[in-house]
Amino acid sequence: MDGAPKRRLRRGAIAKATTAQLEDLGIDPAAHALAATALRLAAEVDSAQDPKAAATAARELRQAMAVVVAAAPPKQHGDKIDQLEERRTKRRAAKASPAKETAT
């Protein structure tokens, strides 16, 4: 091994944003190697002293996150039609409730 001192990577804005995005996707970096690699690359970008090193790490981070995002399970939020249907059902239930109360 070489005698170069180990440098400490700092977790700055890029690492925090990457962590937040992984959490939003529901991906655990401990269970997903490419997600863990993305976090390491984000720390490399935050810690880079040389603009070329930062650019290289940022490019690799972009590519890694593209693969992670593509592999993430789809969210179960429903599409716009489902959201409209849900609002419509709530609106109809709200209109029906006062009518039932006054009839009794």
Side-chain angles (χ1 to χ4, degrees), residues 17-18 21 31 39 44 48 61 67 80-81 94 102:
T18 303
Q21 185 175 7
L39 287 177
E44 290 284 347
L61 174 60
V67 173
K80 292 287 184 187
I81 301 298
T102 56

Side-chain angles (χ1 to χ4, degrees), residues 5-60:
K6 292 187 178 189
R7 65 186 175 102
R8 294 192 67 157
L9 296 178
R10 70 180 190 91
R11 292 184 42 81
I14 304 297
K16 289 176 186 172
T18 303
T19 301
Q21 185 175 7
L22 290 173
E23 286 174 2
D24 186 51
L25 291 170
I27 295 177
D28 180 15
H32 195 281
L34 202 51
T37 302
L39 287 177
R40 170 64 188 237
L41 287 167
E44 290 284 347
V45 173
D46 285 333
S47 301
Q49 300 293 323
D50 177 33
K52 283 185 178 181
T56 300
R59 183 179 61 246
E60 294 298 321

